[in-house]
Amino acid sequence: MARSSSKDAQDLFRALWSAYAATPTNLKIIDLYVLFAVFTALIQVVYMALVGSFPFNSFLSGVLSCVGTAVLAVCLRIQVNKENKEFKDLAPERAFADFVLCNLVLHLVIMNFLG
Amino acid sequence: MARKLGQLLALLFSVSICGAVTIPGPVSDAHRSAASELFDGSFSSLEDAYEALRVFEILAVGNKPDVSAATCQKVVENLGPSSLVKDLFYALKVNSILKCKVNGGVFKDVASRLKAAVNDASTLVDMYYSIGSLVLTKDQASDVDVLLTDADGTFHSIKALSQSDGRWRYSSDNPESSTYAAGLALEALAGVVSLASSEIDQSRVNTVKNDILKLFDSIEKYDDGTFYFDEKFVGGREHQGSLSTTSSVVRGVTAFAAVTSGKINVCWDKILGLAKFFLGIGIPGDAKDFFNQVESLALLENNRQLYGDISLFFFFLFIDTLISSSTPANLSNTMYLGFLLVVTCCQNPVLMSENSVRVTTVFGSAAPPLTVNLVRAVRTDAKDSAIIENKELQYDKKNGIHVLEVFPDNADVGAYVFVFEIVLDEPAGEKVYATGGQIHVPIFVTGIIKVSNAEIAVVDSDLGSVENQKTLDLAGNDVVSFSANHLQKLRFSFQLTTPHGHTFKPHQAFFNLRHETKREHIFVVGNTGKKFEIILDFLGLVEKFYYLSGRYDIELTVGDAAMENSFLRPLGHVDLDLPEAPEKVARLPPLPVDPYSRYGPKAEITHLFRAPEKRPPQKLSLTFLSLTLLPFIGFLVGVLRLGVNLKNFPSSAVPATYAILFHLGVAAVLLLYVLFWLKLDLFTTLKTLGLLGAFLMFVGHRILSHLASTSSKLKSA
């Protein structure tokens, strides 16, 4: 029984991985970027858990910058994905320009809040 | 023999009392010596020199410093063509006293300058100085022509500044009116009248007289009949105190009265009140005040036009301490009152053996022959029955005093009012001297009050039984000691009798309990009929005493102005046993703090700073910093593995530059953010960001549209 469930898990994982391999490279880059942002946030949370939240604003701004940029990257991915019917008419460059602009604004706010 | 001794002792005693009371005296030798000290010869300006010289002149001071040489030099300098009108004025004033040697031609130049100045003057002060200087020039150089051609015009321009209440303004653009200015204006108008080449219209002079009367309507007074002038608007630019203002008005009014015919009907009691005001100052410590006082008194004394047909010479009646001839009861003088009475205290005690009165003028010189009548003497609390009526005081020619020979025996200790009247011997003198009605002088007859039958007892309040009673001899030194608790009462009584045997009610009778902690409780001892008694019920006083048990010192204070043996005597102590203070009772009020301790150093304040937060060790923070960079490295590695390339980078020049600029722009913005975090402020950042952002937008738009067009071309192709 256990053997079959672990085998099922492995099969499931392999199937997911092969399906994922089919995605276009630019989307994979964006996914990687999101993962990077999330990991950075996690490390910051672990640090805060260790040493306490004394300059709380700094912690918040650090975490929120990661989360924010991840969210913006997800939006970019949605807009750039060719299979997404909703954004068919939107040029990917335009989406990228929005991404860059929003990131710059986010980071200005973050820097101000960082203290 | 004993009587005489008693008299002499009483004399000396009363002399000591008399020294303690301050009474305005006439101008005396004390004034003269003060004048020599104040005006010591070092004059910083001609104004000060003039004030000093005038004071010496009026008081006829003997040993004045000789400064004529240096001052005359200053005078000659200031009579030159380049001096200000004010300096010219004071130079001429000084010259009128010192009579320096001045060239005749100088006066001619001065006169012509002044006449031009009179015409040009726009403010009251300028007009005052220029007209005053012209009047002085006229007195000092009789050959020079100083008459004003347009006297009417000058008169009118000064009069134009007057206000409806008799005050004057300083200039036409200054709305504040001032009493001091009124004095200046009146002097200036007097000058104009005396310098007019043709007679000034009489109706104009009369309007000025009315102004003077209106000014006198606004005079202020104190309760003892002193009158004075003061400014209504305090704190103005030219504000003068009441002494300067009053003397300015006196100068102006006397000057104007001197040049006009007819009389100015000012109430004579106001004039007398003004004299009282000046004398009431005593000996001023400031040079200017001294000058103002002395000059105003001299002007008032010598001016005949102010009050009707009678000119006023001020008489000062001195009342000395009076001593009874029979009993030890003494009369002590109080203060001078009545209008022209100045009290001198006997320089020579032997002379003043009985009630005596001295009459002099304001400057201390002798009065004409007159008689002083004591119209009546009454007790203040029994005004109907007089103890003396219509007694004439005998004149002691040798010493120049009027003496009341016999003092009635039935005068008991207490407060009296003596009413005096001055009658001139020569009836023709009435035209020259003014004496005035009745003079009320309060006199205290003092004596030794007998304190007797003093009893102090602790009484049980329920039963009324006396637990402990002691009689005290208050004349001696005995003290008592008691102990009491809060259920008992303390009773204290005594009697006061005058030498004539009547009951005496003093001004003060206080019974004082003081605790060890220096907290005092004062009670007034009331009297019923013959006896003074106080009963302290401790049950009701427990709260007042703050529930403090312990030893309380007792003191008795009895005092009165007519009582010669007023005393403050410790009577002993009482040990009070009061119940404990209940919880709710408020804390004891703090003891009265020594009022000077507030100026001492204060308690040190220790600041409690907020303890700084604990920070993690630096190594841990640095470890995590490097850990944070790990995902970024992971990202780069993953991206490389995915096969990222720069194939889409435009090859042709223009788009390439745009692409590079775009990347540079983004990098610049991120660098700006780093700088913002490190040291810039938000405003600078926003400004720079605006510029960079605009640039970035432009460049980004170009490159991305280029890329978009390239890819769409690829798609369509």
Short mmCIF file of all heavy atoms in Angstrom, two decimals, chain B residues 3 7 322-326 331 351 353-357 372 374 388 391-396 401-409 418 420:
data_model
loop_
_atom_site.label_atom_id
_atom_site.label_comp_id
_atom_site.label_asym_id
_atom_site.label_seq_id
_atom_site.Cartn_x
_atom_site.Cartn_y
_atom_site.Cartn_z
N ARG B 3 6.30 114.73 90.16
CA ARG B 3 5.48 115.12 89.03
C ARG B 3 6.33 115.65 87.89
O ARG B 3 6.16 115.31 86.73
CB ARG B 3 4.48 116.20 89.46
CG ARG B 3 3.04 115.88 89.10
CD ARG B 3 2.12 117.00 89.40
NE ARG B 3 2.14 117.97 88.31
CZ ARG B 3 1.54 119.16 88.35
NH1 ARG B 3 0.92 119.54 89.44
NH2 ARG B 3 1.59 119.98 87.34
N GLN B 7 6.86 114.20 84.26
CA GLN B 7 6.65 114.99 83.04
C GLN B 7 7.83 114.85 82.10
O GLN B 7 7.68 114.63 80.90
CB GLN B 7 6.50 116.47 83.41
CG GLN B 7 5.10 116.91 83.64
CD GLN B 7 5.08 118.39 83.95
OE1 GLN B 7 5.85 118.88 84.75
NE2 GLN B 7 4.19 119.09 83.34
N LEU B 322 2.03 115.73 72.80
CA LEU B 322 1.41 116.42 73.93
C LEU B 322 1.56 115.54 75.14
O LEU B 322 1.50 114.34 75.06
CB LEU B 322 -0.07 116.63 73.64
CG LEU B 322 -0.36 117.28 72.31
CD1 LEU B 322 -1.85 117.44 72.14
CD2 LEU B 322 0.28 118.66 72.24
N ILE B 323 1.76 116.16 76.19
CA ILE B 323 1.94 115.37 77.39
C ILE B 323 0.94 115.83 78.43
O ILE B 323 0.75 117.02 78.64
CB ILE B 323 3.35 115.55 77.95
CG1 ILE B 323 4.35 115.23 76.84
CG2 ILE B 323 3.58 114.66 79.13
CD1 ILE B 323 5.66 115.83 77.09
N SER B 324 0.37 114.90 79.07
CA SER B 324 -0.55 115.27 80.13
C SER B 324 0.24 115.74 81.34
O SER B 324 1.33 115.26 81.60
CB SER B 324 -1.40 114.08 80.47
OG SER B 324 -1.72 114.12 81.82
N SER B 325 -0.30 116.63 82.05
CA SER B 325 0.44 117.17 83.18
C SER B 325 0.18 116.41 84.47
O SER B 325 0.95 116.48 85.39
CB SER B 325 0.10 118.65 83.39
OG SER B 325 -1.29 118.78 83.39
N SER B 326 -0.91 115.67 84.51
CA SER B 326 -1.21 115.07 85.82
C SER B 326 -0.96 113.58 85.85
O SER B 326 -0.16 113.10 86.62
CB SER B 326 -2.67 115.36 86.19
OG SER B 326 -3.49 114.91 85.15
N LEU B 331 -0.25 111.81 75.63
CA LEU B 331 -0.82 112.04 74.32
C LEU B 331 0.29 111.86 73.31
O LEU B 331 1.36 112.40 73.47
CB LEU B 331 -1.35 113.47 74.20
CG LEU B 331 -2.60 113.79 75.00
CD1 LEU B 331 -2.90 115.26 74.89
CD2 LEU B 331 -3.77 113.02 74.43
N LEU B 351 11.81 122.37 75.47
CA LEU B 351 10.83 123.40 75.16
C LEU B 351 9.43 122.83 75.12
O LEU B 351 8.48 123.46 75.53
CB LEU B 351 11.14 123.99 73.78
CG LEU B 351 12.39 124.83 73.68
CD1 LEU B 351 12.59 125.21 72.26
CD2 LEU B 351 12.25 126.06 74.54
N SER B 353 7.35 121.23 76.56
CA SER B 353 6.91 120.63 77.80
C SER B 353 5.43 120.39 77.80
O SER B 353 4.92 119.60 78.54
CB SER B 353 7.30 121.53 78.97
OG SER B 353 6.72 122.79 78.74
N GLU B 354 4.73 121.08 76.98
CA GLU B 354 3.30 120.86 76.96
C GLU B 354 2.83 120.87 75.53
O GLU B 354 3.64 120.93 74.63
CB GLU B 354 2.61 121.94 77.79
CG GLU B 354 3.06 121.73 79.22
CD GLU B 354 2.50 122.71 80.19
OE1 GLU B 354 1.98 123.75 79.75
OE2 GLU B 354 2.60 122.45 81.37
N ASN B 355 1.56 120.78 75.36
CA ASN B 355 1.06 120.73 73.98
C ASN B 355 1.51 121.97 73.27
O ASN B 355 1.29 123.08 73.72
CB ASN B 355 -0.46 120.74 73.99
CG ASN B 355 -0.98 119.66 74.90
OD1 ASN B 355 -0.31 118.67 75.09
ND2 ASN B 355 -2.13 119.87 75.47
N SER B 356 2.17 121.78 72.15
CA SER B 356 2.65 122.97 71.47
C SER B 356 2.47 122.86 69.98
O SER B 356 2.47 121.78 69.42
CB SER B 356 4.12 123.20 71.79
OG SER B 356 4.83 122.03 71.49
N VAL B 357 2.33 123.98 69.38
CA VAL B 357 2.03 124.09 67.97
C VAL B 357 2.95 125.13 67.38
O VAL B 357 3.11 126.21 67.95
CB VAL B 357 0.56 124.53 67.81
CG1 VAL B 357 0.29 124.97 66.40
CG2 VAL B 357 -0.38 123.42 68.20
N VAL B 372 -3.58 130.87 67.52
CA VAL B 372 -4.11 129.54 67.22
C VAL B 372 -5.14 129.21 68.28
O VAL B 372 -4.85 129.26 69.47
CB VAL B 372 -2.99 128.49 67.24
CG1 VAL B 372 -3.56 127.13 66.92
CG2 VAL B 372 -1.90 128.85 66.24
N LEU B 374 -7.84 126.42 69.80
CA LEU B 374 -8.31 125.05 69.80
C LEU B 374 -9.82 125.14 69.92
O LEU B 374 -10.37 125.44 70.96
CB LEU B 374 -7.71 124.29 70.98
CG LEU B 374 -8.22 122.88 71.21
CD1 LEU B 374 -7.97 122.03 70.00
CD2 LEU B 374 -7.53 122.26 72.41
N ILE B 388 -12.61 119.63 75.47
CA ILE B 388 -12.09 121.01 75.52
C ILE B 388 -12.88 121.81 74.50
O ILE B 388 -13.17 121.31 73.41
CB ILE B 388 -10.60 121.10 75.12
CG1 ILE B 388 -9.74 120.13 75.92
CG2 ILE B 388 -10.09 122.51 75.28
CD1 ILE B 388 -8.30 120.15 75.49
N LYS B 391 -10.42 127.00 73.27
CA LYS B 391 -9.29 127.41 74.11
C LYS B 391 -8.26 128.07 73.21
O LYS B 391 -7.94 127.57 72.13
CB LYS B 391 -8.69 126.16 74.73
CG LYS B 391 -7.92 126.46 75.93
CD LYS B 391 -8.26 125.48 77.03
CE LYS B 391 -7.33 125.81 78.17
NZ LYS B 391 -7.89 126.64 79.14
N GLU B 392 -7.73 129.16 73.69
CA GLU B 392 -6.70 129.83 72.89
C GLU B 392 -5.34 129.35 73.35
O GLU B 392 -5.10 129.24 74.54
CB GLU B 392 -6.82 131.33 73.12
CG GLU B 392 -6.15 132.16 72.05
CD GLU B 392 -6.34 133.62 72.34
OE1 GLU B 392 -7.47 134.09 72.18
OE2 GLU B 392 -5.35 134.27 72.76
N LEU B 393 -4.47 129.09 72.40
CA LEU B 393 -3.14 128.63 72.77
C LEU B 393 -2.26 129.84 73.06
O LEU B 393 -2.30 130.83 72.33
CB LEU B 393 -2.53 127.80 71.64
CG LEU B 393 -2.89 126.31 71.64
CD1 LEU B 393 -4.33 126.09 71.28
CD2 LEU B 393 -1.99 125.57 70.70
N GLN B 394 -1.47 129.74 74.08
CA GLN B 394 -0.60 130.87 74.46
C GLN B 394 0.63 130.89 73.58
O GLN B 394 1.21 129.86 73.30
CB GLN B 394 -0.15 130.71 75.92
CG GLN B 394 -1.30 130.62 76.91
CD GLN B 394 -2.16 131.85 76.85
OE1 GLN B 394 -1.66 132.97 76.74
NE2 GLN B 394 -3.47 131.66 76.92
N TYR B 395 1.02 132.08 73.18
CA TYR B 395 2.15 132.21 72.28
C TYR B 395 3.43 132.39 73.08
O TYR B 395 3.54 133.31 73.88
CB TYR B 395 1.94 133.40 71.36
CG TYR B 395 3.02 133.58 70.33
CD1 TYR B 395 3.35 132.56 69.45
CD2 TYR B 395 3.73 134.77 70.24
CE1 TYR B 395 4.34 132.72 68.52
CE2 TYR B 395 4.73 134.94 69.29
CZ TYR B 395 5.02 133.92 68.44
OH TYR B 395 6.00 134.07 67.51
N ASP B 396 4.35 131.49 72.88
CA ASP B 396 5.64 131.61 73.56
C ASP B 396 6.57 132.34 72.61
O ASP B 396 7.07 131.77 71.64
CB ASP B 396 6.14 130.20 73.89
CG ASP B 396 7.50 130.22 74.57
OD1 ASP B 396 8.05 131.33 74.75
OD2 ASP B 396 7.97 129.15 74.92
N ILE B 401 6.46 129.28 69.44
CA ILE B 401 5.46 128.21 69.38
C ILE B 401 4.23 128.62 70.17
O ILE B 401 4.29 129.47 71.05
CB ILE B 401 6.00 126.89 69.95
CG1 ILE B 401 6.58 127.11 71.35
CG2 ILE B 401 7.04 126.30 69.03
CD1 ILE B 401 7.01 125.85 72.02
N HIS B 402 3.12 127.98 69.84
CA HIS B 402 1.87 128.21 70.58
C HIS B 402 1.64 127.02 71.48
O HIS B 402 1.77 125.88 71.03
CB HIS B 402 0.70 128.34 69.60
CG HIS B 402 0.88 129.47 68.63
ND1 HIS B 402 0.21 130.66 68.74
CD2 HIS B 402 1.68 129.59 67.54
CE1 HIS B 402 0.58 131.47 67.75
NE2 HIS B 402 1.47 130.84 67.02
N VAL B 403 1.34 127.29 72.70
CA VAL B 403 1.28 126.22 73.70
C VAL B 403 -0.10 126.09 74.29
O VAL B 403 -0.75 127.08 74.60
CB VAL B 403 2.30 126.52 74.82
CG1 VAL B 403 2.22 125.51 75.91
CG2 VAL B 403 3.70 126.58 74.24
N LEU B 404 -0.53 124.85 74.44
CA LEU B 404 -1.77 124.59 75.17
C LEU B 404 -1.38 124.30 76.61
O LEU B 404 -0.73 123.31 76.89
CB LEU B 404 -2.48 123.39 74.56
CG LEU B 404 -3.78 122.97 75.24
CD1 LEU B 404 -4.85 124.03 75.06
CD2 LEU B 404 -4.28 121.66 74.68
N GLU B 405 -1.75 125.20 77.47
CA GLU B 405 -1.23 125.11 78.84
C GLU B 405 -1.77 123.93 79.63
O GLU B 405 -1.03 123.12 80.13
CB GLU B 405 -1.58 126.39 79.61
CG GLU B 405 -1.11 127.63 78.91
CD GLU B 405 0.15 128.17 79.53
OE1 GLU B 405 0.02 128.94 80.48
OE2 GLU B 405 1.24 127.80 79.08
N VAL B 406 -3.03 123.88 79.68
CA VAL B 406 -3.62 122.90 80.60
C VAL B 406 -4.35 121.84 79.82
O VAL B 406 -5.16 122.14 78.95
CB VAL B 406 -4.60 123.59 81.56
CG1 VAL B 406 -5.26 122.57 82.45
CG2 VAL B 406 -3.85 124.63 82.37
N PHE B 407 -4.08 120.61 80.15
CA PHE B 407 -4.80 119.53 79.51
C PHE B 407 -5.81 118.97 80.51
O PHE B 407 -5.48 118.77 81.66
CB PHE B 407 -3.81 118.44 79.08
CG PHE B 407 -4.40 117.54 78.06
CD1 PHE B 407 -4.56 117.96 76.75
CD2 PHE B 407 -4.86 116.29 78.40
CE1 PHE B 407 -5.14 117.15 75.81
CE2 PHE B 407 -5.44 115.47 77.46
CZ PHE B 407 -5.58 115.88 76.16
N PRO B 408 -7.03 118.74 80.10
CA PRO B 408 -8.06 118.33 81.06
C PRO B 408 -7.75 116.99 81.70
O PRO B 408 -7.15 116.11 81.08
CB PRO B 408 -9.34 118.24 80.21
CG PRO B 408 -8.86 118.11 78.82
CD PRO B 408 -7.58 118.84 78.74
N ASP B 409 -8.17 116.87 82.91
CA ASP B 409 -7.90 115.65 83.66
C ASP B 409 -8.79 114.51 83.25
O ASP B 409 -8.44 113.35 83.42
CB ASP B 409 -8.12 115.90 85.16
CG ASP B 409 -7.04 116.82 85.70
OD1 ASP B 409 -6.02 116.97 85.02
OD2 ASP B 409 -7.25 117.39 86.79
N PHE B 418 -8.63 116.80 67.52
CA PHE B 418 -8.47 118.19 67.95
C PHE B 418 -8.71 119.08 66.75
O PHE B 418 -8.16 118.84 65.67
CB PHE B 418 -7.04 118.42 68.46
CG PHE B 418 -6.81 117.99 69.87
CD1 PHE B 418 -7.27 116.76 70.32
CD2 PHE B 418 -6.14 118.82 70.75
CE1 PHE B 418 -7.05 116.37 71.63
CE2 PHE B 418 -5.91 118.42 72.06
CZ PHE B 418 -6.37 117.20 72.50
N PHE B 420 -8.30 122.75 65.22
CA PHE B 420 -7.61 124.02 65.41
C PHE B 420 -8.06 125.04 64.38
O PHE B 420 -8.55 124.69 63.31
CB PHE B 420 -6.09 123.84 65.23
CG PHE B 420 -5.45 123.07 66.33
CD1 PHE B 420 -5.28 121.70 66.22
CD2 PHE B 420 -5.03 123.71 67.48
CE1 PHE B 420 -4.69 120.98 67.23
CE2 PHE B 420 -4.44 122.99 68.50
CZ PHE B 420 -4.26 121.62 68.39
#
